[in-house]
Structure formats: structure tokens, C-alpha cells
Amino acid sequence: MEMPRCVRLAVAQCFRTLSTSTDSKDIIPALQTLHSYLDEGPESGTTSVQRAEFKRAHFTRTLQFLVSNIQADWLHGLTAAQRTELWDGLFLRGPPEQALLVLMEGIGELRPCTNLNHLVGITENFLRGGRLADLLWSFCLEARPSDSPQLRETLLGRIVALPDLTANRLHPNNRPLFLPQQYYPLLATEMLTALERTCQALKDGTDCSLTFVAQTFGKVCIQGHSGLMLSVMAPRLSVYTRSDMVWQRVCWKLLENVPQRWVESVLTGLVQAVSGPDALGRIIGNLVLTNKKAQYVITHKLLLLQYKYETRVLRIVLGYLAANRERRPLLIQVLRSVSQAWANPSAVKHTPLEQQLYVSKALLLCVSLSPLSVFSDLLQCMLGGMQSHLDSSVVRIRRVGMVVGECLSARMDISGTKLKFEVQSICKLVDSPPDTNEAPSTQNVSSQNKSGPQPDSDLDSDDELTPYNMSGDQEISEASPPRYLRDCLETLISSEDPVRVELSLRVAEGLVRKNVFATREISVQLTKVLLHMEDKYSIKGFLSLRQATMVALIVTDCIQVTQYLTTEFYSLNYSLRQRLDILEVLALAAQELSKPITEKGNSSIGIAASTDLTPYPGDNPVHWRQEVEKRIQSKTKRLRKVVKENIFISTPNRYAPVAGHFFFPLLRNYDKPQVTFDLLGSDHLVLGRLIHTLGLFIMVRRGVLFAVCSVFLSMNSQNLLVDLSDQLFETRTWLAGKKNKNKESLLMTWQSGRGFVPVLLLQGHVF
């Protein structure tokens, strides 16, 4: 009989027996027959050809049959020993890739029950029994039968994602072995076993392939588990490659076969796991010379684009490039690119400080590893970079420039002179704890006093001294308030010190009103900071301080700040509280602008209440004649006091030219609902406040009309007709054109010559 047909008929007969019979006398021989195709040697009763045919064409079908009949009565009729040997043994002795696929498929299909736990237990035994190493080793053999790419991809996904698959299926009763913290170190150990078998096979003259192992390694790393894998693999590979060239060749081939899309994850994990540049060189060889992606990661991305790694990683990467003559040109290339990045003025201004420190460390390491002959071309670039750092307004950036400048000067030895910035003293001054040297001296003095002659106790007694009243004392703060508006802005943006933030917020209004030109340069930026500022430190009077500063900004730089606030009122991602704050600030600013300017109010608003700075005497100079007159009046005796009438000086209304910037932008989008803001819908509270604010803007005009009516009422009727006849007729025509009943009554009152025009205007009958 033909061999494949003989095996097929025997397997089919076993399936019929297991499907129809319940007698253990029939079940056990059928299972033993299936086992005979997995046993090696002549005692199994099968030939090697039959065993190969069974594994190739019938093993997967056999396991699927067993899983589908896992609830059969005959299985539960077997003893525990028989079930472990005959049923479980079929999963643990055949081709491991087929067994793993069937086990994972069965775990995914079965419902939570005893049978599922049985299958999970077999999977645990599969992993603990070293079957993953057998699986990986089977793909290393060149004599392996060809399989489809789809099968490899499916198997690769099951191996790499086994913790995720089991967690989704078994949660919350997942087994500890399936957790990532245990599974991936186990997978790394099995991978090392497969590599060890590969090394031995190569020494014996057998060809091997590491493609599947490399794919598994790369996919595990790209999914974020490189740390767990390489914490096991890197130390052992470093030891194996120290004296064995075959191991070095195996490691190089392993990394060469990692797919390009996964090279970065493998290398970034490896440079963090190895012990030094020599170990990295033994494991990856000259991969940076043959693989463009590896070269980009090692020479560019790890040094210039990412800055999360420790200094040790920089030493390993740059030391790896400098350790070999063939890789040294890449170190020179890295030195040029790093120096250009460090010297870029735009990078000094806009990149994070942490990244600048990282690049500075990389530059210093490159300089220490590079020959002196390459520095002549980079001298101007480095000097320009040092100048850019020293010109920065950030202290730490300037300090970085000083440190790098000193190191470069010491390394290059330009004309025998070396730069010295006293950087160490600066660092000690900033980082040292408070000086406590006074305490010992005080103790010594007190001990000397004790050891010397003691004065008379009556003379030293302080019982008769009157104690000072200390109830009004205030605690002196170590921090001082900022004296410049830009310092105030920087503190509000970046400082985490509650005392400095509070001091800056308290002096902000005074600085805004006192420094008009400086305010107009940063008015919009400061307004934005205040609008988004939160009371993180529970500052007393926080809301009033913030509001007063924003009002001062509008009054000082009206058009720019008003345009910003009215635009942001309808913008997205603002809370209702912030929109109400915008309306309140605009209303208060409009009211302040509509009031006349007084010398006293203009010079002292906000300053006296917010800062204790003593004003310079020349800020408000007093004419010498006025000073002399004041002294004469104070020394002159009068029989009666003459009351002088207050003389009011008229000033132009500051609100009139900018009223449109307050009023019209707020009416622009009131009827256009947005995703997070609907004035005519759920946010009607803000709509009411908006209408109220717009009414306040119009009341300013009503005040002007009231002033005009007051002038009319204070003059004689004949003088009105003679001096202001044109204006009267124009006003009469305007009032006559209004058809409102209140305006008609106002016109009748106006025609009578005297009336209640101011009263009507104040009560709101006109508008």
C-alpha cells in the first residue's frame, strides 16, 4: 500500500474509534496509535517516512480533533496519568509550531470552563517544557520543509502577542506565566537556547537561518517589550561574544536579518541594555556601515532628535563609533552635525533646556573622542555657538555655554590660552545649602563668655526694660518683587514659587501703569497669561489682583488688548468663567476710560496698594514757585479762611475714539453657535451678562447727552436761541424724528423750555 495512504487510513480509523466508542479498551489503543507516529526508533512500529508524513499532513488535524472532542465522555473516563500521557502528550511531543497554533486557537474559542482550564494548563506545560526553543530552532534549520509566508506571519503574531491574547481571554483569571513580566524573559531565554544550538550547528558544519528568530526579536521590541527581552539577552550575549567569534557572527547575522521597520526599536533597546561600547561593538559589529536605518538611528536620532536617554547611553553610542577604524569617519560626521546643532542660534532660543543639555553632553563626548586635526574646521562654528549661549537671557543656558567653552578651550589648546569662566564657583554659589558657619562662632563666643568672669546679675537684669510692641511686625520675605514688567511676566509664566508668583501679581498693575512703552510691547502676551491663570497657590485677593491688572492693560494699550479679548470671547476651549471675566474686564476698562484723568489718580493708581517701592523724587516734580507759595501760605496767619472754588480742567474723553473696539466685535458672532459655546442656547447666562456689558458701553454715551442737557438747562432761553440756535434746531429735528412715545414726551418737555430731560435720560427712557 502506498505510504501516505496507509498513514491517512490509520489516522481516520483512530478518529472513528474516538468518535463512536466509549470503552477505554478501544480509546487507549487509538491514542497509542497516534502516539506511535511521534515516537522515534524502531520500537514505535512506524517508519521515519510514516512519521514525517503524519507530522506534515495529519498532526494539526489530530490536535484539532482532540480539542473539538474535549468534552467527550471517554476523555473524562481516563485516569489523570493516562490523560497526561496519552492526551496531553500529543500536544507536547509533535511539531511545536502546529501545537502552539492549535492551543491558541482552542483558548480563543472555548468558553470559560474546566475544559478551558485544561487547555490553558497544557499551554503552560508547553512553555515550561522548552517547546518555544524547539520551535525557534526548527525554523533555524535549513533542511526545514518550506512553509507559506502566511503561516509564518500567523505564528509570529501568536508568539509575540501571547500575553495579550491570553489576558483578553482569561481575564481576570490569567496565569502568572502569561504575564509580560514573566513571558518575555522566558521567550528571551528560549531564544538564547536556539542561538546556542545554532552556534553549535555552525561549528559542526550545518547551515542555519536566523530569519524567523530575527523577526520574532524585532516584533517583540517594536511592541514595547525590548527592555524585558534585552535585560536577559544583552548580558549573556556580551559574555558569549567576548571570546567566541562564532557567537559574534551569529549576533551580527541576527541583527542584519531584523526587518528595517523594527531596527530602531532593537537598537534603542540594545544601547540601553549593554554594559559598554565594547559589548555593543561585539554584538552589532559594523551594522552602521551596512544598514542605512541603523546608521540614521545611531548617528542622528539618538543624538539630535531624542534627549530622554542617560549620559551613559551617549558614552556607549559615541564610544562604539570611536572604537573601530572603519566606524571613526562616522564619529567625525557626528561631531560636525552635533556642533552645528549646538551652535544654531534658533535652537538656543526655541528648543527645550533639557535637549540643549543633552546635545551639549554629546558635543563634549565627541570632542573628547575625536582627533585634534578636525577641530580647525569647526572652530568658528563652536565659537559662534558659545556666543549664542552667552547672549541668552536664561542663566542655565549661559552656564552651559561657559562649561562647553572651557572644555573646548582645554581640548583645542588655542594659542596656549584657556578660557576660564569660574563656572564651578557659580555652581557652588547656586547649589550650595545656606551658610551655617555663624552657628559655631556664636557658640564659641557664648562659651567664652561663660568661661570668663560673670558680671553682676543685677546689672544684667532686663526686668525693668519696657518691651517693644511686636504685634504689628510683618514677616520679611526672602524674595523681592520684580521691578521690571518682563521679569514679572516671566515669573507668572514659569515660576513654581508661590511667594514669587504672589509678589509678581501684586506689583503687576503698578508696573503696567508706570511703564507705558514696556507694557505696549508685551500687553497681549501678559493679558493671555492672566486670562488663563489659575489660583494654584490660594493667593489672597487673587481675582481682584488679576482683574485690576487686566483693566490696567486695556487702559494702557487699549486697541491691541481689546481686539485680543473680544476675539477670544468667541473662541473655542474657554470656560464660561473666563468669558465672564472678559466681559467684566472690558466693562471696568470702559468706565475708567470714560472718566477724566486726574493727576493724583493717574500717578498713583494701583502703585500704592500693590508695591512698597519708594518713588523717585523726580517722577512728579513740583515747580519751585508752587513750593515757595505753599511754604508762605503755611506760615501766614489769617483771621478768616478763604474758601477757594475748585477749578476743574477739562480733558478729552479717552473712551470716545475706541468705543467701537469695545462694542462691535462683541456683537459679531452672538447668533452663531459653536461646539462648546452657544449664547442663544445653554449658555444664556453669558448672553445676559453680554447684554448688560453692551448696555454699560452705551451708558457712556448717555452720560454725554446728560451733560449736554445740563448745559441747556443752565443757560437763559434767550441766550440759547441767540448763541446756539443752529444746534437747538438740529436737536429738535432729531427728537422729532423719533416715534417712540417716551421720545415724544421728551420733545414736549423740550419745547416747554424747561423740563425733566436729564431725569428722563437718567431713567433710561431714551435708550
Side-chain angles (χ1 to χ4, degrees):
M1 184 180 294
E2 189 177 352
M3 194 65 65
R5 184 182 178 187
C6 175
V7 175
R8 185 174 64 254
L9 291 177
V11 171
Q13 180 61 38
C14 292
F15 286 178
R16 282 194 296 270
T17 302
L18 295 174
S19 301
T20 58
S21 178
T22 58
D23 190 355
S24 60
K25 295 181 180 180
D26 299 329
I27 299 299
I28 293 177
L31 293 174
Q32 290 175 344
T33 301
L34 296 175
H35 265 276
S36 65
Y37 292 105
L38 300 176
D39 295 334
E40 301 291 338
E43 65 275 2
S44 64
T46 58
T47 64
S48 59
V49 177
Q50 290 176 330
R51 292 193 293 270
E53 177 63 18
F54 176 79
K55 295 176 181 178
R56 184 190 67 84
H58 303 285
F59 182 68
T60 299
R61 206 158 54 90
T62 300
L63 297 184
Q64 291 174 343
F65 174 82
L66 295 178
V67 172
S68 62
N69 290 273
I70 196 172
Q71 297 180 349
D73 295 335
W74 58 264
L75 177 60
H76 299 283
L78 299 176
T79 63
Q82 292 174 338
R83 187 163 53 246
T84 300
E85 178 185 358
L86 299 177
W87 204 90
D88 299 358
L90 288 172
F91 291 89
L92 303 177
R93 296 178 59 188
E97 69 279 3
Q98 300 182 40
L100 181 62
L101 289 176
V102 174
L103 286 171
M104 298 307 299
E105 181 182 2
I107 292 175
E109 292 179 352
L110 290 178
R111 296 180 179 180
C113 60
T114 305
N115 299 324
L116 177 61
N117 294 334
H118 184 196
L119 214 57
V120 170
I122 296 176
T123 307
E124 282 189 295
N125 295 331
F126 181 91
L127 297 178
R128 289 196 176 98
R131 298 294 287 163
L132 278 178
D134 297 338
L135 189 156
L136 296 172
W137 167 241
S138 67
F139 280 91
C140 294
L141 295 175
E142 289 287 354
R144 175 186 172 82
S146 60
D147 45 20
S148 64
Q150 292 81 6
L151 175 62
R152 286 198 171 209
E153 190 65 28
T154 303
L155 183 60
L156 187 64
R158 297 295 186 273
I159 295 175
V160 174
L162 188 143
D164 297 331
L165 297 174
T166 54
N168 292 336
R169 188 64 182 139
L170 303 177
H171 182 77
N173 300 316
N174 199 7
R175 304 293 176 89
L177 183 60
F178 299 151
L179 298 178
Q181 292 77 7
Q182 294 192 24
Y183 174 76
Y184 290 111
L186 173 64
L187 178 60
T189 303
E190 302 293 270
M191 193 172 293
L192 286 171
T193 302
L195 294 177
E196 189 172 0
R197 295 178 184 177
T198 301
C199 290
Q200 187 60 43
L202 292 175
K203 293 177 181 179
D204 295 339
T206 304
D207 294 334
C208 298
S209 172
L210 295 175
T211 302
F212 185 78
V213 179
Q215 291 175 349
T216 305
F217 183 38
K219 193 161 187 176
V220 170
C221 292
I222 195 62
Q223 291 190 359
H225 306 293
S226 59
L228 296 173
M229 290 284 292
L230 289 168
S231 63
V232 176
M233 295 184 65
R236 293 179 61 180
L237 290 178
S238 177
V239 174
Y240 294 158
T241 57
R242 188 169 297 166
S243 58
D244 195 335
M245 288 299 302
V246 177
W247 262 107
Q248 292 186 17
R249 287 181 53 199
V250 168
C251 291
W252 299 349
K253 198 66 177 178
L254 174 68
L255 294 173
E256 288 176 6
N257 287 328
V258 174
Q260 289 293 306
R261 61 187 184 275
W262 300 333
V263 168
E264 179 181 347
S265 300
V266 173
L267 289 180
T268 53
L270 193 58
V271 296
Q272 297 178 78
V274 294
S275 57
D278 294 336
L280 182 64
R282 295 195 303 269
I283 293 175
I284 70 174
N286 288 332
L287 185 66
V288 292
L289 301 178
T290 59
N291 190 308
K292 292 297 182 182
K293 185 62 177 290
Q295 184 180 125
Y296 171 75
V297 172
I298 293 293
T299 63
H300 187 77
K301 194 163 188 178
L302 289 176
L303 303 176
L304 297 177
L305 299 184
Q306 298 177 345
Y307 54 94
K308 62 182 179 180
Y309 304 108
E310 300 176 353
T311 308
R312 184 181 66 87
V313 175
L314 290 175
R315 290 196 180 97
I316 291 174
V317 171
L318 297 174
Y320 161 74
L321 295 177
N324 185 274
R325 180 174 57 84
E326 298 177 355
R327 300 191 294 264
R328 209 160 291 145
L330 291 179
L331 178 64
I332 308 303
Q333 175 184 334
V334 168
L335 175 61
R336 296 180 186 277
S337 59
V338 171
S339 61
Q340 291 173 1
W342 183 80
N344 189 349
S346 178
V348 174
K349 294 180 180 179
H350 300 104
T351 55
L353 178 60
E354 292 77 11
Q355 186 172 6
Q356 295 189 43
L357 293 174
Y358 186 82
V359 174
S360 300
K361 294 176 184 178
L363 176 61
L364 294 179
L365 289 172
C366 287
V367 169
S368 65
L369 295 172
S370 301
L372 295 176
S373 58
V374 302
F375 293 148
S376 57
D377 299 337
L378 302 175
L379 180 60
Q380 293 300 325
C381 177
M382 293 182 179
L383 291 177
M386 187 171 61
Q387 185 64 41
S388 299
H389 282 74
L390 295 178
D391 291 342
S392 175
S393 60
V394 182
V395 177
R396 294 185 65 186
I397 294 180
R398 294 200 300 269
R399 191 177 300 156
V400 168
M402 296 177 189
V403 173
V404 175
E406 285 189 5
C407 296
L408 293 179
S409 174
R411 175 64 173 163
M412 295 180 181
D413 194 17
I414 305 172
S415 302
T417 59
K418 296 182 180 181
L419 292 176
K420 188 64 177 178
F421 288 104
E422 299 295 336
V423 182
Q424 294 181 355
S425 61
I426 295 176
C427 296
K428 291 181 180 179
L429 180 63
V430 174
D431 300 331
S432 61
D435 189 9
T436 58
N437 293 332
E438 295 183 359
S441 61
T442 305
Q443 295 175 358
N444 293 336
V445 171
S446 62
S447 61
Q448 291 175 4
N449 292 337
K450 290 181 180 179
S451 61
Q454 299 293 331
D456 189 72
S457 59
D458 295 336
L459 297 178
D460 282 353
S461 177
D462 56 358
D463 295 339
E464 298 180 357
L465 299 178
T466 303
Y468 285 102
N469 183 11
M470 309 291 288
S471 60
D473 282 10
Q474 297 180 355
E475 183 179 356
I476 300 177
S477 175
E478 296 181 358
S480 58
R483 295 177 177 268
Y484 299 98
L485 194 58
R486 286 190 179 273
D487 294 341
C488 179
L489 174 62
E490 184 176 352
T491 300
L492 294 178
I493 292 176
S494 58
S495 179
E496 298 293 337
D497 185 1
V499 177
R500 292 186 61 195
V501 173
E502 181 176 0
L503 290 174
S504 300
L505 193 59
R506 292 190 180 281
V507 302
E509 181 192 1
L511 294 176
V512 167
R513 295 183 184 274
K514 189 176 181 180
N515 304 281
V516 177
F517 296 103
T519 300
R520 290 175 179 173
E521 293 179 356
I522 59 172
S523 57
V524 175
Q525 185 179 3
L526 181 55
T527 304
K528 182 179 180 180
V529 171
L530 292 171
L531 181 60
H532 292 82
M533 191 175 181
E534 298 179 355
D535 190 11
K536 298 189 297 183
Y537 307 113
S538 300
I539 299 174
K540 185 178 181 180
F542 170 81
L543 296 178
S544 60
L545 292 172
R546 185 184 66 159
Q547 185 183 79
T549 306
M550 295 177 70
V551 171
L553 286 167
I554 298 177
V555 173
T556 305
D557 191 9
C558 184
I559 295 179
Q560 291 192 53
V561 180
T562 304
Q563 288 178 348
Y564 169 75
L565 290 176
T566 53
T567 302
E568 295 300 307
F569 180 75
Y570 288 105
S571 299
L572 298 175
N573 301 325
Y574 278 94
S575 64
L576 297 183
R577 179 66 263 173
Q578 289 175 309
R579 301 182 199 275
L580 293 174
D581 290 341
I582 292 175
L583 294 177
E584 292 176 1
V585 168
L586 289 173
L588 292 174
Q591 292 176 357
E592 181 175 338
L593 288 171
S594 64
K595 296 177 182 178
I597 302 176
T598 60
E599 183 180 355
K600 180 179 180 181
N602 188 37
S603 62
S604 62
I605 287 179
I607 297 179
S610 60
T611 180
D612 297 331
L613 300 179
T614 304
Y616 186 71
D619 290 346
N620 295 311
V622 181
H623 197 271
W624 66 272
R625 292 184 182 273
Q626 297 178 4
E627 184 66 26
V628 172
E629 182 66 24
K630 184 187 299 184
R631 293 182 181 181
I632 293 174
Q633 295 295 335
S634 63
K635 297 182 180 296
T636 302
K637 294 183 179 180
R638 305 184 190 281
L639 298 177
R640 65 185 183 92
K641 187 176 181 180
V642 179
V643 180
K644 294 184 178 180
E645 296 182 358
N646 294 330
I647 300 175
F648 294 97
I649 302 175
S650 62
T651 57
N653 192 315
R654 295 177 293 166
Y655 177 72
V658 296
H661 295 283
F662 284 81
F663 186 81
F664 295 108
L666 289 178
L667 287 176
R668 181 173 50 197
N669 296 323
Y670 77 94
D671 58 344
K672 296 179 181 179
Q674 300 178 7
V675 177
T676 59
F677 188 44
D678 185 6
L679 273 176
L680 301 181
S682 58
D683 300 325
H684 53 80
L685 174 64
V686 184
L687 177 62
R689 183 62 186 177
L690 174 62
I691 296 174
H692 176 72
T693 304
L694 295 174
L696 290 177
F697 295 158
I698 299 177
M699 281 180 185
V700 177
R701 185 183 176 193
R702 182 191 304 168
V704 176
L705 293 178
F706 173 72
V708 173
C709 294
S710 299
V711 173
F712 288 164
L713 293 175
S714 63
M715 294 181 66
N716 189 287
S717 301
Q718 295 180 356
N719 293 339
L720 280 174
L721 295 175
V722 174
D723 297 335
L724 300 174
S725 58
D726 295 339
Q727 287 81 359
L728 286 176
F729 283 112
E730 183 180 353
T731 305
R732 185 180 183 279
T733 304
W734 175 73
L735 291 173
K738 304 300 180 180
K739 297 182 180 181
N740 187 280
K741 181 178 180 181
N742 291 329
K743 293 181 175 58
E744 292 177 1
S745 62
L746 179 61
L747 179 60
M748 295 173 60
T749 307
W750 176 263
Q751 290 174 344
S752 65
R754 298 278 179 168
F756 300 93
V757 176
V759 178
L760 290 173
L761 287 172
L762 284 178
Q763 291 178 351
H765 292 286
V766 176
F767 297 97

